[in-house]
Amino acid sequence: MVTARVHLVLAEPDPLGVDGKPRVAAQAAVLLKVRPASTPLREADVQKLVAGSVAGLLPEAVAVVVTPTAEAPLQRTPALASVGPLQVDPASRKLLLIALLGGLAVIAALAVLLFLTLVALVWSARRTERDPRLRTQRGEERTQRSDRTSICPPCPPLRRRERAGRPRTIAGTTSRSPGRPTQEVTGGGRTRP
């Protein structure tokens, strides 16, 4: 047997029927294509086989058609070329290799460029550490940039005494730094130790 095709029409119950008979009875059609040299199949055997697999289908409602056909020619699979783990058509092997090698070359070029950039950054940082003139020049540039970009004017520098934690008086009160004795304020001004 070369091919077999089966078309089925299933029984459709009649919702308004009183006797319970289906509106359309189950039917089947079978088309068999066989080789001329093969043993012939009996129609009755095919009818029983199909009718037994469908509920409500009688063997008489199965139509069987048997036709002889010529031998199907064997199709040969084309030879494939391998590119690593891939199997491709031999005509596209060369193009695939070129694309793979081109992609690897681009990746290698990017890796070399990244390495050279890192080397230049490290060299620049070491050069700045060794040369004090570069450090002061860069520090001045940063100060000038920060002055230009600041929103508010620079705050006045703190006096040394205020930074050292000297007591300050505000409207007749006394504040003191930790570890120093409290000083009394007279006249709302600052007292000296």
Side-chain angles (χ1 to χ4, degrees):
M1 181 171 314
V2 178
T3 60
R5 180 171 281 185
V6 179
H7 294 275
L8 293 174
V9 176
L10 299 176
E12 188 176 323
D14 188 9
L16 301 175
V18 193
D19 54 1
K21 287 187 179 181
R23 183 170 34 169
V24 177
Q27 298 174 357
V30 180
L31 174 63
L32 300 174
K33 291 185 179 181
V34 294
R35 294 187 184 102
S38 65
T39 57
L41 294 172
R42 295 185 330 168
E43 284 187 30
D45 294 338
V46 175
Q47 287 175 338
K48 286 180 187 177
L49 178 67
V50 173
S53 62
V54 177
L57 181 61
L58 300 173
E60 297 82 32
V62 178
V64 178
V65 178
V66 179
T67 59
T69 185
E71 295 265 341
L74 296 175
Q75 294 180 352
R76 292 178 28 200
T77 58
L80 297 176
S82 63
V83 177
L86 304 173
Q87 296 290 325
V88 296
D89 186 60
S92 63
R93 182 178 187 271
K94 185 175 182 180
L95 182 64
L96 182 63
L97 282 173
I98 290 171
L100 287 174
L101 292 176
L104 287 175
V106 167
I107 291 172
L110 289 174
V112 167
L113 188 63
L114 178 66
F115 176 74
L116 291 176
T117 303
L118 290 174
V119 167
L121 286 173
V122 169
W123 179 77
S124 175
R126 285 187 180 171
R127 186 170 155 228
T128 304
E129 288 175 3
R130 289 182 189 154
D131 193 356
R133 287 179 295 159
L134 289 176
R135 265 188 273 156
T136 57
Q137 287 174 358
R138 289 193 179 174
E140 290 171 4
E141 288 174 11
R142 286 186 191 138
T143 308
Q144 289 172 357
R145 278 192 225 140
S146 66
D147 288 346
R148 277 185 255 140
T149 58
S150 67
I151 297 171
C152 65
C155 299
L158 296 175
R159 294 185 193 141
R160 285 190 174 192
R161 289 184 179 176
E162 289 177 356
R163 277 189 271 149
R166 296 288 236 179
R168 293 191 310 172
T169 60
I170 300 171
T173 61
T174 303
S175 67
R176 67 179 180 94
S177 301
R180 290 187 173 230
T182 305
Q183 298 174 352
E184 294 185 18
V185 178
T186 56
R190 220 181 253 200
T191 60
R192 296 187 180 203

PDB file of all heavy atoms in Angstrom, residues 24 34-35 38-41 52 66 83 87 91 93 97 103 119 128 143 147 156 191:
ATOM      1  N   VAL A  24     -28.807  12.880   9.804  1.00  0.00           N
ATOM      2  CA  VAL A  24     -27.889  12.431   8.760  1.00  0.00           C
ATOM      3  C   VAL A  24     -27.194  11.187   9.288  1.00  0.00           C
ATOM      4  O   VAL A  24     -26.616  11.196  10.370  1.00  0.00           O
ATOM      5  CB  VAL A  24     -26.850  13.527   8.437  1.00  0.00           C
ATOM      6  CG1 VAL A  24     -25.851  13.046   7.417  1.00  0.00           C
ATOM      7  CG2 VAL A  24     -27.526  14.797   7.972  1.00  0.00           C
ATOM      8  N   VAL A  34      -2.454   1.417  -4.118  1.00  0.00           N
ATOM      9  CA  VAL A  34      -1.618   0.237  -3.842  1.00  0.00           C
ATOM     10  C   VAL A  34      -0.660  -0.004  -4.992  1.00  0.00           C
ATOM     11  O   VAL A  34      -0.898   0.409  -6.129  1.00  0.00           O
ATOM     12  CB  VAL A  34      -2.504  -1.013  -3.606  1.00  0.00           C
ATOM     13  CG1 VAL A  34      -3.325  -0.864  -2.347  1.00  0.00           C
ATOM     14  CG2 VAL A  34      -3.369  -1.317  -4.789  1.00  0.00           C
ATOM     15  N   ARG A  35       0.409  -0.727  -4.701  1.00  0.00           N
ATOM     16  CA  ARG A  35       1.359  -1.127  -5.739  1.00  0.00           C
ATOM     17  C   ARG A  35       0.765  -2.314  -6.496  1.00  0.00           C
ATOM     18  O   ARG A  35       0.080  -3.162  -5.907  1.00  0.00           O
ATOM     19  CB  ARG A  35       2.688  -1.528  -5.096  1.00  0.00           C
ATOM     20  CG  ARG A  35       3.395  -0.389  -4.444  1.00  0.00           C
ATOM     21  CD  ARG A  35       4.794  -0.813  -3.982  1.00  0.00           C
ATOM     22  NE  ARG A  35       5.422   0.289  -3.276  1.00  0.00           N
ATOM     23  CZ  ARG A  35       5.537   0.391  -1.956  1.00  0.00           C
ATOM     24  NH1 ARG A  35       5.084  -0.579  -1.191  1.00  0.00           N
ATOM     25  NH2 ARG A  35       6.104   1.424  -1.411  1.00  0.00           N
ATOM     26  N   SER A  38       1.541  -5.842  -5.000  1.00  0.00           N
ATOM     27  CA  SER A  38       1.166  -6.186  -3.629  1.00  0.00           C
ATOM     28  C   SER A  38      -0.079  -7.069  -3.611  1.00  0.00           C
ATOM     29  O   SER A  38      -0.820  -7.159  -4.585  1.00  0.00           O
ATOM     30  CB  SER A  38       0.927  -4.922  -2.808  1.00  0.00           C
ATOM     31  OG  SER A  38      -0.182  -4.228  -3.326  1.00  0.00           O
ATOM     32  N   THR A  39      -0.305  -7.709  -2.464  1.00  0.00           N
ATOM     33  CA  THR A  39      -1.478  -8.571  -2.326  1.00  0.00           C
ATOM     34  C   THR A  39      -2.727  -7.698  -2.244  1.00  0.00           C
ATOM     35  O   THR A  39      -2.735  -6.687  -1.550  1.00  0.00           O
ATOM     36  CB  THR A  39      -1.380  -9.427  -1.054  1.00  0.00           C
ATOM     37  OG1 THR A  39      -1.228  -8.558   0.061  1.00  0.00           O
ATOM     38  CG2 THR A  39      -0.202 -10.373  -1.128  1.00  0.00           C
ATOM     39  N   PRO A  40      -3.765  -8.054  -2.955  1.00  0.00           N
ATOM     40  CA  PRO A  40      -4.955  -7.207  -2.969  1.00  0.00           C
ATOM     41  C   PRO A  40      -5.698  -7.268  -1.635  1.00  0.00           C
ATOM     42  O   PRO A  40      -5.727  -8.290  -0.962  1.00  0.00           O
ATOM     43  CB  PRO A  40      -5.805  -7.790  -4.093  1.00  0.00           C
ATOM     44  CG  PRO A  40      -5.353  -9.200  -4.238  1.00  0.00           C
ATOM     45  CD  PRO A  40      -3.919  -9.235  -3.810  1.00  0.00           C
ATOM     46  N   LEU A  41      -6.284  -6.144  -1.270  1.00  0.00           N
ATOM     47  CA  LEU A  41      -7.099  -6.070  -0.060  1.00  0.00           C
ATOM     48  C   LEU A  41      -8.553  -6.291  -0.449  1.00  0.00           C
ATOM     49  O   LEU A  41      -9.022  -5.813  -1.465  1.00  0.00           O
ATOM     50  CB  LEU A  41      -6.956  -4.684   0.592  1.00  0.00           C
ATOM     51  CG  LEU A  41      -5.584  -4.336   1.155  1.00  0.00           C
ATOM     52  CD1 LEU A  41      -5.561  -2.875   1.570  1.00  0.00           C
ATOM     53  CD2 LEU A  41      -5.271  -5.198   2.359  1.00  0.00           C
ATOM     54  N   GLY A  52     -15.896  -0.345  12.307  1.00  0.00           N
ATOM     55  CA  GLY A  52     -15.662  -0.684  13.702  1.00  0.00           C
ATOM     56  C   GLY A  52     -15.024   0.458  14.484  1.00  0.00           C
ATOM     57  O   GLY A  52     -15.086   0.486  15.716  1.00  0.00           O
ATOM     58  N   VAL A  66     -10.101   1.223  -4.656  1.00  0.00           N
ATOM     59  CA  VAL A  66      -8.715   0.772  -4.680  1.00  0.00           C
ATOM     60  C   VAL A  66      -8.162   1.084  -6.063  1.00  0.00           C
ATOM     61  O   VAL A  66      -8.722   0.644  -7.069  1.00  0.00           O
ATOM     62  CB  VAL A  66      -8.616  -0.737  -4.382  1.00  0.00           C
ATOM     63  CG1 VAL A  66      -7.164  -1.191  -4.431  1.00  0.00           C
ATOM     64  CG2 VAL A  66      -9.229  -1.067  -3.041  1.00  0.00           C
ATOM     65  N   VAL A  83      29.559  22.820   9.148  1.00  0.00           N
ATOM     66  CA  VAL A  83      30.283  24.011   9.587  1.00  0.00           C
ATOM     67  C   VAL A  83      30.166  24.003  11.102  1.00  0.00           C
ATOM     68  O   VAL A  83      29.169  24.445  11.661  1.00  0.00           O
ATOM     69  CB  VAL A  83      29.673  25.300   8.994  1.00  0.00           C
ATOM     70  CG1 VAL A  83      30.394  26.523   9.526  1.00  0.00           C
ATOM     71  CG2 VAL A  83      29.709  25.263   7.484  1.00  0.00           C
ATOM     72  N   GLN A  87      24.808  21.650  10.051  1.00  0.00           N
ATOM     73  CA  GLN A  87      24.786  20.967   8.765  1.00  0.00           C
ATOM     74  C   GLN A  87      24.082  21.887   7.771  1.00  0.00           C
ATOM     75  O   GLN A  87      22.930  22.253   7.979  1.00  0.00           O
ATOM     76  CB  GLN A  87      24.024  19.635   8.869  1.00  0.00           C
ATOM     77  CG  GLN A  87      24.666  18.622   9.798  1.00  0.00           C
ATOM     78  CD  GLN A  87      25.957  18.076   9.228  1.00  0.00           C
ATOM     79  OE1 GLN A  87      26.089  17.898   8.021  1.00  0.00           O
ATOM     80  NE2 GLN A  87      26.921  17.824  10.092  1.00  0.00           N
ATOM     81  N   ALA A  91      26.367  24.711  -1.055  1.00  0.00           N
ATOM     82  CA  ALA A  91      26.467  26.001  -1.740  1.00  0.00           C
ATOM     83  C   ALA A  91      26.514  27.167  -0.745  1.00  0.00           C
ATOM     84  O   ALA A  91      27.123  28.197  -1.026  1.00  0.00           O
ATOM     85  CB  ALA A  91      25.287  26.178  -2.686  1.00  0.00           C
ATOM     86  N   ARG A  93      27.770  26.994   2.377  1.00  0.00           N
ATOM     87  CA  ARG A  93      28.832  26.803   3.369  1.00  0.00           C
ATOM     88  C   ARG A  93      29.851  27.938   3.337  1.00  0.00           C
ATOM     89  O   ARG A  93      30.231  28.484   4.366  1.00  0.00           O
ATOM     90  CB  ARG A  93      29.528  25.465   3.127  1.00  0.00           C
ATOM     91  CG  ARG A  93      30.625  25.159   4.134  1.00  0.00           C
ATOM     92  CD  ARG A  93      31.237  23.780   3.849  1.00  0.00           C
ATOM     93  NE  ARG A  93      32.162  23.421   4.889  1.00  0.00           N
ATOM     94  CZ  ARG A  93      33.448  23.725   4.884  1.00  0.00           C
ATOM     95  NH1 ARG A  93      33.952  24.401   3.865  1.00  0.00           N
ATOM     96  NH2 ARG A  93      34.244  23.358   5.862  1.00  0.00           N
ATOM     97  N   LEU A  97      30.719  30.635   6.365  1.00  0.00           N
ATOM     98  CA  LEU A  97      32.062  30.765   6.935  1.00  0.00           C
ATOM     99  C   LEU A  97      32.549  32.214   6.887  1.00  0.00           C
ATOM    100  O   LEU A  97      33.145  32.709   7.849  1.00  0.00           O
ATOM    101  CB  LEU A  97      33.039  29.859   6.186  1.00  0.00           C
ATOM    102  CG  LEU A  97      32.993  28.376   6.552  1.00  0.00           C
ATOM    103  CD1 LEU A  97      33.891  27.573   5.626  1.00  0.00           C
ATOM    104  CD2 LEU A  97      33.396  28.167   7.987  1.00  0.00           C
ATOM    105  N   GLY A 103      32.260  38.224  11.699  1.00  0.00           N
ATOM    106  CA  GLY A 103      31.740  38.543  13.025  1.00  0.00           C
ATOM    107  C   GLY A 103      32.802  38.387  14.102  1.00  0.00           C
ATOM    108  O   GLY A 103      32.921  39.227  15.006  1.00  0.00           O
ATOM    109  N   VAL A 119      44.172  50.826  28.973  1.00  0.00           N
ATOM    110  CA  VAL A 119      45.599  51.097  29.162  1.00  0.00           C
ATOM    111  C   VAL A 119      45.842  52.604  29.174  1.00  0.00           C
ATOM    112  O   VAL A 119      46.592  53.123  30.012  1.00  0.00           O
ATOM    113  CB  VAL A 119      46.434  50.398  28.066  1.00  0.00           C
ATOM    114  CG1 VAL A 119      47.860  50.909  28.044  1.00  0.00           C
ATOM    115  CG2 VAL A 119      46.415  48.898  28.282  1.00  0.00           C
ATOM    116  N   THR A 128      49.377  61.477  36.214  1.00  0.00           N
ATOM    117  CA  THR A 128      48.867  62.556  37.055  1.00  0.00           C
ATOM    118  C   THR A 128      49.379  62.409  38.478  1.00  0.00           C
ATOM    119  O   THR A 128      49.715  63.404  39.125  1.00  0.00           O
ATOM    120  CB  THR A 128      47.330  62.552  37.037  1.00  0.00           C
ATOM    121  OG1 THR A 128      46.896  62.647  35.692  1.00  0.00           O
ATOM    122  CG2 THR A 128      46.764  63.704  37.825  1.00  0.00           C
ATOM    123  N   THR A 143      38.216  73.503  40.283  1.00  0.00           N
ATOM    124  CA  THR A 143      37.707  74.610  41.082  1.00  0.00           C
ATOM    125  C   THR A 143      37.022  75.637  40.199  1.00  0.00           C
ATOM    126  O   THR A 143      35.943  76.128  40.514  1.00  0.00           O
ATOM    127  CB  THR A 143      38.859  75.285  41.865  1.00  0.00           C
ATOM    128  OG1 THR A 143      39.565  74.281  42.572  1.00  0.00           O
ATOM    129  CG2 THR A 143      38.332  76.319  42.820  1.00  0.00           C
ATOM    130  N   ASP A 147      33.085  76.668  40.329  1.00  0.00           N
ATOM    131  CA  ASP A 147      32.656  78.048  40.544  1.00  0.00           C
ATOM    132  C   ASP A 147      31.681  78.481  39.458  1.00  0.00           C
ATOM    133  O   ASP A 147      30.714  79.195  39.717  1.00  0.00           O
ATOM    134  CB  ASP A 147      33.866  78.995  40.565  1.00  0.00           C
ATOM    135  CG  ASP A 147      34.697  78.838  41.830  1.00  0.00           C
ATOM    136  OD1 ASP A 147      34.181  78.208  42.781  1.00  0.00           O
ATOM    137  OD2 ASP A 147      35.835  79.321  41.855  1.00  0.00           O
ATOM    138  N   PRO A 156      31.118  81.933  53.002  1.00  0.00           N
ATOM    139  CA  PRO A 156      32.355  82.485  53.575  1.00  0.00           C
ATOM    140  C   PRO A 156      33.050  81.408  54.390  1.00  0.00           C
ATOM    141  O   PRO A 156      32.408  80.547  54.996  1.00  0.00           O
ATOM    142  CB  PRO A 156      31.858  83.620  54.461  1.00  0.00           C
ATOM    143  CG  PRO A 156      30.438  83.303  54.739  1.00  0.00           C
ATOM    144  CD  PRO A 156      29.929  82.545  53.567  1.00  0.00           C
ATOM    145  N   THR A 191      32.417  85.848  74.931  1.00  0.00           N
ATOM    146  CA  THR A 191      33.342  85.864  76.064  1.00  0.00           C
ATOM    147  C   THR A 191      34.619  85.189  75.658  1.00  0.00           C
ATOM    148  O   THR A 191      34.611  84.285  74.826  1.00  0.00           O
ATOM    149  CB  THR A 191      32.744  85.127  77.273  1.00  0.00           C
ATOM    150  OG1 THR A 191      32.491  83.797  76.884  1.00  0.00           O
ATOM    151  CG2 THR A 191      31.481  85.792  77.752  1.00  0.00           C
TER     152      THR A 191
END
